[in-house]
Amino acid sequence: MKHKIAKSLYLIFLLFSAQLLLYFRASSKTNVDSLLGLTSEKQGKELASLYFEIGKFYNNNNISDSAFEYFFLAHVLAEETGDTITRCESANQLGLIYFYRKKFEKAIPYFIISEKLFKVKKNYKRSTRARIGIGNCYYGAGKPDTALQIYQSCIKDLYKQNDTLNLSGCFNNIARIYESRKEYEKAIEYHKKVLEIGRSGYDLPYLHPLISIGLIYCKKNEPAKALTAYREALSESISLHDSITIISIYIELASLYETNGSYNTALAMLDSALYFDKANKKTPVICQQKGNIYRKTGNNEKAITYYKNSIRTSHDNDYLVLENLKDIAEVLNELGNFREALEYFKKYHNTYDSVIMKENISRQKLDELAAVKEFNALVSKSEKTLTLVEKENQLKQAQINREKFFRNVSIAGASLILIIGILLFLILRYRFLRKKSEIENKLNMYMQKSLSQQMNPHFIFNTLNSIQYYINNNDKEASAKYLGIFSRLMRRTLDNSQNEFVKIKDELEAVNLYIELEKLRFGDKFEYIFNIENEDSIYDAEIPALILQPFIENAIWHGLLTLEKKGKLILHITQNNSKIKFSIEDNGIGRQKAQKLQENKNHISLGTKMIKSRIELYNEKRKDKILLNIIDKTDKEGNAEGTKIEILIPCISV
């Protein structure tokens, strides 16, 4: 009888509640309809204010799209009509909507407008809150450094305004930023500031900082300090009869003990959490955590039991159900119960599909939430395991065939690559040797040309004429001297031409003999000076043969002999690290005038041209290059004062 009366009273209560809900909904609809009806009657600032009120109505009823539409209309119209109050309020609301939609970049401009306009209206408290909104956006957008600067700029104003709620929020966010940077001491400092505000008597959830401090000590691997923080929070939450915080602390304590391998103590903490969870709000999470611990300790039967309890008490938490179904399937798969594991994988898949249909979320996001790829792999693995005995031989044979095929393909591919590599090497080697041979042949050719240039018939004829002249004049001493120098020059030139490189002293001997012959022929027409630094170290170094004489000959014949005054030829040799610098300088008529004289005589000088070609070939062949620089000397008026040849040659020491 009592049971029937209670049931009747319960039905009456439900009917009354339903009627009351319908009344309020009808009343709300009437209110918004009346506001919408007024839009045709209002204009200017009044219409902007009306749009804002309609936006507030939709926002309070969680109809964010309509709320956004009317807040936006209010903002635009307020800007046009100069309604600063409505504009800053609507900008703030637009910023909040974008913020909660996680469109932080779009929220920031509205919060900036709101901050500036509230400051103009001298509403500094609201201005500071808008600035905090900007900081929250930067924090949400993954720019913690900018967010930190903004939060710190708000602290002084929040203290002045005695805004403890937002001050506590700033401190909390600053602590989280420092925690993400692993600056744990600073993070703990700001969590303690939040705790201090809460303990000062303000109606704030001040025990949560203690839990955060405990978590930080866990990250720092200081379990004793973490345990102290959790116990302090637990003691205060019990004295305040704050069952929600008590449950959270027991869960965190369980995680701490689980991390340290104290599984029995962790299970005891979770049992305490279950005791305080009268409303079963955290029971699904607690059961799942107990299942995970039992799974770690190898008690798979109990693990499955608690996973099932988590599903049973999940209150339509699809994501938690998905995780538990996957865990049960994995445990059954590990136990070898493949058929039942497959059934749970299928349940997982069906629940997964229902989440897609219910929330219409994208495939990419769903992959993050439930790991479809992992599920498909596990299902495939379970199905293959069921038929493993029947298909084992086929799979082995197929595997052998695949391995044989890939091995053959790999061998063939490697052989082909090797053959191509050898062919390329041979081709490149052949080209290199051919080019090297061409360069050497050209060098030999130019060496022969240089030799023939130094021993050309014209030079020999002139020399023999000079000797004959001295003989006819019965000047035996001069003729003997001339003939001796000439024979030594021929011998030295022939000796030097046998080698690609000669010692500097041998090259200078040939040059000196050549100049002596020219001096005997032309008398005091010119003088010459050899200036050699570090003779002992330079003389034994080697340079390309027959490289200096053509430049000396050019200086004498085309620079000095046509000069009206006495000519001067200077050969200066210096060593700079592994290179030797030869400087051949004369005070002759200069290259331009000499070239005109040669053109009038139809004479073409080939000596220096061949030397330049030899230098180019030498530079192609070797890493260290020969550098040639020809300088035309002039006076202040630009008149020619001679020529200077600079040759920088890498030397080979012997």
Side-chain angles (χ1 to χ4, degrees):
M1 184 70 180
K2 288 180 180 179
H3 178 70
K4 288 182 179 180
I5 292 170
K7 189 174 182 180
S8 300
L9 288 171
Y10 180 67
L11 288 171
I12 291 167
F13 172 74
L14 287 177
L15 288 170
F16 176 74
S17 299
Q19 289 291 331
L20 191 63
L21 181 63
L22 289 171
Y23 170 76
F24 280 118
R25 284 188 176 177
S27 175
S28 298
K29 190 174 185 307
T30 303
N31 288 337
V32 75
D33 287 343
S34 63
L35 288 172
L36 289 169
L38 291 172
T39 55
S40 59
E41 301 174 8
K42 303 292 184 181
Q43 289 182 348
K45 292 183 179 181
E46 290 183 352
L47 183 58
S49 180
L50 183 59
Y51 282 148
F52 180 76
E53 291 300 322
I54 296 170
K56 276 176 63 178
F57 170 82
Y58 283 125
N59 198 42
N60 292 337
N61 286 276
N62 297 320
I63 309 172
S64 62
D65 290 338
S66 298
F68 178 85
E69 179 183 350
Y70 280 97
F71 283 140
F72 185 76
L73 289 171
H75 180 71
V76 172
L77 190 57
E79 185 177 8
E80 291 177 356
T81 58
D83 186 352
T84 307
I85 294 174
T86 303
R87 188 183 172 204
C88 60
E89 291 285 0
S90 58
N92 193 66
Q93 291 297 329
L94 288 168
L96 287 170
I97 290 173
Y98 273 130
F99 175 79
Y100 289 120
R101 290 180 178 179
K102 299 188 183 303
K103 295 182 179 179
F104 305 113
E105 299 298 330
K106 292 186 177 181
I108 289 170
Y110 286 109
F111 280 129
I112 291 172
I113 292 170
S114 179
E115 180 202 8
K116 289 180 179 178
L117 293 178
F118 276 127
K119 193 176 287 186
V120 169
K121 300 302 291 184
K122 297 185 179 180
N123 190 339
Y124 299 114
K125 196 168 188 177
R126 292 292 301 278
S127 177
T128 306
R129 289 181 184 177
R131 197 174 350 137
I132 293 171
I134 298 169
N136 292 339
C137 288
Y138 280 114
Y139 186 39
K143 297 178 181 178
D145 294 339
T146 307
L148 182 63
Q149 291 176 0
I150 294 171
Y151 290 143
Q152 288 174 335
S153 72
C154 294
I155 290 172
K156 187 176 180 181
D157 294 333
L158 290 169
Y159 270 121
K160 283 182 182 179
Q161 297 155 11
N162 198 27
D163 190 348
T164 53
L165 179 63
N166 285 296
L167 183 62
S168 175
C170 270
F171 285 152
N172 184 62
N173 286 344
I174 291 171
R176 291 183 183 279
I177 291 170
Y178 280 128
E179 187 177 344
S180 68
R181 291 178 173 181
K182 297 185 179 180
E183 297 181 38
Y184 296 126
E185 295 303 324
K186 287 185 178 180
I188 291 170
E189 176 189 341
Y190 278 94
H191 278 309
K192 285 181 177 179
K193 288 183 178 183
V194 179
L195 187 64
E196 183 182 347
I197 292 172
R199 283 175 172 168
S200 298
Y202 298 104
D203 186 17
L204 294 170
Y206 69 90
L207 293 177
H208 291 288
L210 277 173
I211 300 174
S212 298
I213 291 169
L215 286 169
I216 291 172
Y217 281 128
C218 286
K219 289 179 181 178
K220 290 181 71 180
N221 197 22
E222 296 181 16
K225 290 184 178 181
L227 194 60
T228 301
Y230 286 143
R231 283 175 175 170
E232 186 181 351
L234 184 62
S235 175
E236 293 197 30
S237 59
I238 290 172
S239 65
L240 294 170
H241 305 290
D242 186 353
S243 60
I244 294 174
T245 306
I246 292 170
I247 294 164
S248 298
I249 295 168
Y250 274 126
I251 291 172
E252 295 300 335
L253 282 168
S255 298
L256 177 61
Y257 284 119
E258 181 185 352
T259 303
N260 291 324
S262 302
Y263 297 120
N264 290 331
T265 309
L267 290 169
M269 294 297 105
L270 292 172
D271 287 336
S272 299
L274 282 172
Y275 173 79
F276 282 97
D277 190 23
K278 306 297 184 184
N280 291 333
K281 289 183 178 180
K282 290 287 184 179
T283 297
V285 175
I286 297 168
C287 287
Q288 185 190 32
Q289 193 169 348
K290 289 192 75 174
N292 291 337
I293 294 172
Y294 279 122
R295 186 178 176 185
K296 282 184 180 179
T297 57
N299 195 338
N300 290 323
E301 296 297 332
K302 278 196 173 183
I304 291 171
T305 301
Y306 277 101
Y307 287 143
K308 287 179 178 178
N309 286 341
S310 179
I311 293 170
R312 182 174 51 80
T313 58
S314 64
H315 308 299
D316 298 326
N317 186 338
D318 293 330
Y319 305 133
L320 190 62
V321 171
L322 280 171
E323 289 176 4
N324 282 293
L325 286 172
K326 184 162 76 71
D327 289 334
I328 292 170
E330 287 174 349
V331 173
L332 290 169
N333 197 51
E334 290 167 7
L335 291 172
N337 193 345
F338 302 122
R339 292 190 182 279
E340 195 173 350
L342 183 60
E343 290 301 317
Y344 271 95
F345 277 130
K346 288 178 179 178
K347 287 181 182 179
Y348 173 86
H349 181 66
N350 293 334
T351 306
Y352 193 85
D353 290 341
S354 70
V355 171
I356 295 176
M357 295 175 64
K358 188 186 294 183
E359 300 193 13
N360 193 26
I361 58 178
S362 65
R363 173 63 60 181
Q364 182 181 358
K365 184 175 180 181
L366 197 58
D367 284 345
E368 295 172 2
L369 296 174
V372 172
K373 291 181 181 178
E374 183 182 357
F375 161 73
N376 290 333
L378 288 169
V379 171
S380 176
K381 184 178 178 182
S382 298
E383 289 175 343
K384 286 178 182 177
T385 307
L386 289 173
T387 57
L388 185 62
V389 177
E390 299 172 6
K391 296 184 178 180
E392 186 173 2
N393 293 330
Q394 296 176 9
L395 290 171
K396 282 183 179 179
Q397 189 59 43
Q399 182 67 22
I400 291 168
N401 292 337
R402 279 198 299 272
E403 288 177 358
K404 188 183 291 184
F405 171 75
F406 285 120
R407 185 169 59 251
N408 293 336
V409 170
S410 299
I411 292 169
S415 301
L416 182 62
I417 291 169
L418 182 62
I419 291 167
I420 292 170
I422 292 170
L423 287 173
L424 284 173
F425 172 77
L426 291 173
I427 291 168
L428 292 173
R429 178 71 176 167
Y430 169 74
R431 288 180 178 176
F432 170 76
L433 291 174
R434 187 176 67 180
K435 187 174 181 182
K436 184 179 179 183
S437 177
E438 288 175 357
I439 291 171
E440 287 177 351
N441 289 336
K442 286 182 179 179
L443 279 171
N444 290 332
M445 180 186 71
Y446 282 117
M447 279 284 290
Q448 293 300 322
K449 286 185 177 181
S450 295
L451 177 61
S452 63
Q453 180 69 19
Q454 286 188 247
M455 300 180 66
N456 67 74
H458 182 68
F459 170 72
I460 294 171
F461 178 77
N462 288 337
T463 303
L464 292 175
N465 271 345
S466 297
I467 294 170
Q468 186 180 12
Y469 169 78
Y470 287 121
I471 292 170
N472 290 336
N473 287 333
N474 203 22
D475 191 345
K476 294 179 182 180
E477 184 180 350
S479 60
K481 182 179 179 182
Y482 210 127
L483 189 59
I485 294 171
F486 177 68
S487 63
R488 283 161 56 200
L489 173 62
M490 293 299 101
R491 186 179 61 193
R492 174 50 58 200
T493 301
L494 288 170
D495 287 344
N496 288 354
S497 67
Q498 300 304 309
N499 302 299
E500 185 180 357
F501 293 92
V502 296
K503 292 182 179 180
I504 289 177
K505 64 181 179 181
D506 295 334
E507 181 74 7
L508 290 179
E509 183 184 348
V511 168
N512 190 52
L513 289 169
Y514 171 75
I515 295 173
E516 283 293 328
L517 279 178
E518 298 292 24
K519 279 279 292 176
L520 285 171
R521 283 184 64 198
F522 300 111
D524 292 332
K525 190 67 178 174
F526 68 92
E527 63 177 343
Y528 71 96
I529 300 170
F530 278 15
N531 187 0
I532 305 170
E533 297 180 5
N534 302 321
E535 292 183 12
D536 294 337
S537 61
I538 285 179
Y539 274 160
D540 287 332
E542 291 190 351
I543 60 172
L546 309 177
I547 199 167
L548 297 178
Q549 190 272 341
F551 294 110
I552 299 290
E553 181 182 341
N554 257 13
I556 294 171
W557 277 87
H558 304 298
L560 300 177
L561 293 183
T562 55
L563 194 66
E564 294 178 359
K565 61 182 180 179
K566 187 174 183 179
K568 189 173 184 180
L569 176 66
I570 301 172
L571 174 60
H572 186 69
I573 306 174
T574 58
Q575 185 172 10
N576 182 14
N577 296 327
S578 61
K579 292 191 177 183
I580 297 178
K581 182 179 179 181
F582 295 87
S583 178
I584 303 166
E585 187 174 358
D586 66 69
N587 64 340
I589 62 175
R591 285 196 301 167
Q592 190 174 2
K593 191 172 181 181
Q595 189 175 357
K596 288 181 180 179
L597 290 173
Q598 288 178 43
E599 288 174 358
N600 294 334
K601 295 177 182 180
N602 295 321
H603 175 74
I604 299 173
S605 177
L606 298 176
T608 54
K609 185 177 180 181
M610 285 189 293
I611 291 297
K612 287 180 180 178
S613 298
R614 277 184 64 200
I615 289 172
E616 288 176 4
L617 289 170
Y618 177 91
N619 289 342
E620 282 186 35
K621 186 179 176 182
R622 296 183 178 271
K623 185 177 179 181
D624 293 328
K625 311 297 182 185
I626 296 176
L627 302 178
L628 174 64
N629 186 25
I630 301 176
I631 302 167
D632 293 315
K633 295 166 31 178
T634 58
D635 58 16
K636 293 180 180 180
E637 286 76 24
N639 298 318
E641 283 193 337
T643 307
K644 185 177 182 179
I645 310 293
E646 291 181 343
I647 313 170
L648 195 62
I649 304 176
C651 65
I652 302 173
S653 297
V654 294

